[in-house]
Amino acid sequence: MIASRIWPARDYTRLTIESKAELKYEMFAVKDPDRLVLDLETDVTPALAELDGKVAADDPYIKGLRLARNRPGIVRVVLDLKAEVKPQAFTLSPVAEYGYRLVLDIHPLVALDPLAQLIEQGTKPETPAAPTVARLATIVIDAGHGGEDPGAIGRRGTREKNVTLMIAKRLKALIDAEPNMRAVLTRDGDYFLPLNTRVDKARQVRADLLVSIHADSFKRSNARGSSVFALSERRATSEMARLLAQRENEADLIGGVNLKGRDSYVTQTLLDLSQTATIDYSLRLGSSVLQRLGSVAELHKARVEQASFAVLKAHDVPSILVETAFISNPQEEKRLNDRAYQDKLARAILDGIRDYVARQPPRPASPMALR
Ligand SMILES: [Zn+2]
């Protein structure tokens, strides 16, 4: 056993047990009171025993956890639940820094409705619009990576997932302060979200725009500056963009997605003809944001690049991915940790979004269009 982790979140709580060899297990649910039982073919090790103290008091789904040797060679982990849940256990092969992982995802019985969350999170409910006032533009802000997926890691140990969340939260506050916009975060804590779940959330709240926030890394530590990306239906506009999309799409492998029962959403949407129009709008949004970023940061690329980023594949939501800076560059890593600089970046992105919203007549199909 190498390590054990619990990632509590409202979306779902994940429990991970990492080991040197694949762990055999059996899982079953018990009612009255609701419990989950995980029988592991192993012995009690320190890394496993640690699980005991790792349940957060405010975990939305797990009340407590007990583990003990059940019979020779079998350790029984019992999770006392706060409510009936939809559990899902699966194993992952070694990837990146990780060994074998046994993952137990504890989802709520009824999946959270992002629209209801929006109303709850949002400081601004939809108000009956005056005839001359357009509807509120809903901007989805996606903090890249999270949970099991740290994203890129700087030399001082800064994790991309933490920096992206801080900038995303700052940007949300700024957008919510605008009279004609409101923002929704795809994740508001440190937990993993599959790329297609991020896309689905944007679609479910009928987002007008999606902005995915990242902080790049490169093997040369002097690589620097901000860049903005949109989806490409075919080839990437550069080798750099292609490699970056490949790296960002690996988030699902590292974060750990249960491949069983996954729908083919991404393949389907690529056949959608509206994608071409959406990309056109994404490029305009990207240019506006890039231009504003240029006033607070050096630009790594002077134009919006395109590649096949999975998180940008909502076929009806203009979407961009912003690499705010290179976390692999020691100077930029330092700045990314600086609250004032995070604020500058968030403000530049806000200005870019504002420019786009002001200039761009809403598409007839867009929920932004006048009712
Ligand atoms: Zn990233």
Side-chain angles (χ1 to χ4, degrees), residues 143-145 149-152 160-161 164 212-217 244 247-249 251 309 321-323:
H145 313 279
D149 170 24
E160 182 182 358
K161 65 174 182 179
T164 59
S212 187
I213 312 274
H214 290 258
D216 208 353
S217 79
L244 179 71
R247 233 175 22 244
E248 294 294 5
N249 292 347
F309 292 90
L321 185 142
V322 179
E323 294 285 355

Side-chain angles (χ1 to χ4, degrees), residues 190-225:
D190 186 12
Y191 61 100
F192 169 72
L193 267 188
L195 296 170
N196 71 335
T197 303
R198 298 168 194 255
V199 172
D200 285 346
K201 282 193 176 196
R203 300 202 61 224
Q204 280 167 321
V205 299
R206 305 211 303 141
D208 297 288
L209 305 171
L210 176 141
V211 179
S212 187
I213 312 274
H214 290 258
D216 208 353
S217 79
F218 195 66
K219 50 182 184 292
R220 277 191 298 109
S221 65
N222 60 351
R224 60 190 303 129

Side-chain angles (χ1 to χ4, degrees), residues 135-272:
R135 185 183 167 280
L136 284 173
T138 303
I139 318 291
V140 167
I141 310 163
D142 174 52
H145 313 279
E148 293 274 295
D149 170 24
I153 299 176
R155 295 195 168 185
R156 296 159 186 252
T158 307
R159 282 151 188 255
E160 182 182 358
K161 65 174 182 179
N162 298 331
V163 168
T164 59
L165 185 60
M166 287 189 275
I167 297 170
K169 283 184 170 171
R170 189 70 204 113
L171 179 57
K172 174 175 162 53
L174 293 172
I175 288 175
D176 284 339
E178 291 287 305
N180 60 339
M181 299 180 202
R182 64 179 168 186
V184 195
L185 297 171
T186 52
R187 69 172 176 99
D188 60 0
D190 186 12
Y191 61 100
F192 169 72
L193 267 188
L195 296 170
N196 71 335
T197 303
R198 298 168 194 255
V199 172
D200 285 346
K201 282 193 176 196
R203 300 202 61 224
Q204 280 167 321
V205 299
R206 305 211 303 141
D208 297 288
L209 305 171
L210 176 141
V211 179
S212 187
I213 312 274
H214 290 258
D216 208 353
S217 79
F218 195 66
K219 50 182 184 292
R220 277 191 298 109
S221 65
N222 60 351
R224 60 190 303 129
S226 308
S227 36
V228 175
F229 299 83
L231 182 66
S232 160
E233 282 176 292
R234 291 193 182 81
R235 297 178 61 172
T237 48
S238 69
E239 184 60 7
M240 184 272 296
R242 189 186 70 81
L243 289 172
L244 179 71
Q246 199 177 59
R247 233 175 22 244
E248 294 294 5
N249 292 347
E250 277 170 7
D252 276 358
L253 287 177
I254 297 163
V257 169
N258 184 11
L259 293 169
K260 271 181 283 169
R262 256 194 121 180
D263 55 27
S264 53
Y265 175 75
V266 169
T267 344
Q268 281 165 13
T269 55
L270 272 184
L271 301 171
D272 196 308

Side-chain angles (χ1 to χ4, degrees), residues 3-32:
S4 62
R5 298 178 283 274
I6 299 181
W7 306 99
R10 274 192 66 196
D11 280 42
Y12 73 110
T13 288
R14 168 172 287 194
L15 185 151
T16 310
I17 298 167
E18 198 185 341
S19 51
K20 286 197 182 103
E22 191 167 1
L23 206 54
K24 290 215 175 72
Y25 70 97
E26 221 178 296
M27 182 199 62
F28 54 94
V30 187
K31 289 194 70 67
D32 303 314

